[in-house]
Amino acid sequence: MDAEAIKRSLQGNGLRCTPQRHAVMAFLMDHKGHPTAAEIFAAVNRVDPRSSRATTYNNLRDLVKAGLVREVAVGGRAGRYDLQGMRHHHFICDRCGNVEDMEWYEVPRPASGSLGKRILRECELIFRGLCTKCAPRHAARSAS
């Protein structure tokens, strides 16, 4: 996504294309992992030192609300952010907190009425366990 595409994406979702908001989107496009808000702020601030922590955090909140960015909740740790592009699920490692993308597959919707008056937007799975780096260390400790 180039600069013009970012601008169209923001405007199409009712957001002004400010330099700071553009910088957050550009960073997320170029970053393959799932950075924390602090990591995003540090990267954006290196490019534009005028960008404040509050502005970065507020922009992330607005981008999540607009559906352009997804916040991945990592229990007991800082949330991580991900561009809403291709649909995917996540795997979160219990030991190191690493967040990995997992292939998307449809999740069955709950039975009609089971959610009461709630309105469901989508279902997403978060897998939790040990990642490929931490699993062998766990197995070695269990064998001892």
Side-chain angles (χ1 to χ4, degrees):
M1 193 183 296
D2 61 10
E4 194 56 38
I6 291 173
K7 183 177 180 179
R8 282 191 310 271
S9 179
L10 290 168
Q11 290 174 338
N13 284 280
L15 298 173
R16 286 187 19 249
C17 186
T18 64
Q20 296 86 356
R21 199 170 278 151
H22 183 276
V24 169
M25 288 290 288
F27 175 75
L28 287 170
M29 283 179 10
D30 293 339
H31 197 275
K32 299 300 178 213
H34 299 81
T36 63
E39 291 167 339
I40 295 167
F41 165 70
V44 168
N45 193 258
R46 278 193 296 273
V47 174
D48 182 0
R50 298 170 300 160
S51 184
S52 73
R53 183 178 307 273
T55 298
T56 301
Y57 283 55
N58 289 337
N59 280 326
L60 283 167
R61 182 200 62 223
D62 293 344
L63 292 167
V64 168
K65 194 173 179 180
L68 294 170
V69 172
R70 173 179 14 196
E71 182 177 9
V72 181
V74 181
R77 298 186 177 160
R80 297 186 170 267
Y81 294 86
D82 192 11
L83 271 184
Q84 286 275 47
M86 289 180 28
R87 297 173 85 185
H88 57 273
H89 298 292
H90 290 99
F91 182 96
I92 301 173
C93 182
D94 292 336
R95 180 168 286 145
C96 69
N98 186 45
V99 178
E100 300 173 30
D101 291 345
M102 300 291 292
E103 180 180 338
W104 178 264
Y105 58 91
E106 291 299 320
V107 177
R109 291 220 178 271
S112 179
S114 67
L115 297 176
K117 294 184 186 256
R118 295 174 188 87
I119 298 172
L120 183 65
R121 182 175 36 84
E122 78 173 338
C123 296
E124 174 188 344
L125 292 179
I126 295 180
F127 298 90
R128 297 182 187 276
L130 297 176
C131 69
T132 56
K133 290 180 184 174
C134 293
R137 286 184 254 161
H138 178 76
R141 284 190 189 137
S142 297
S144 306

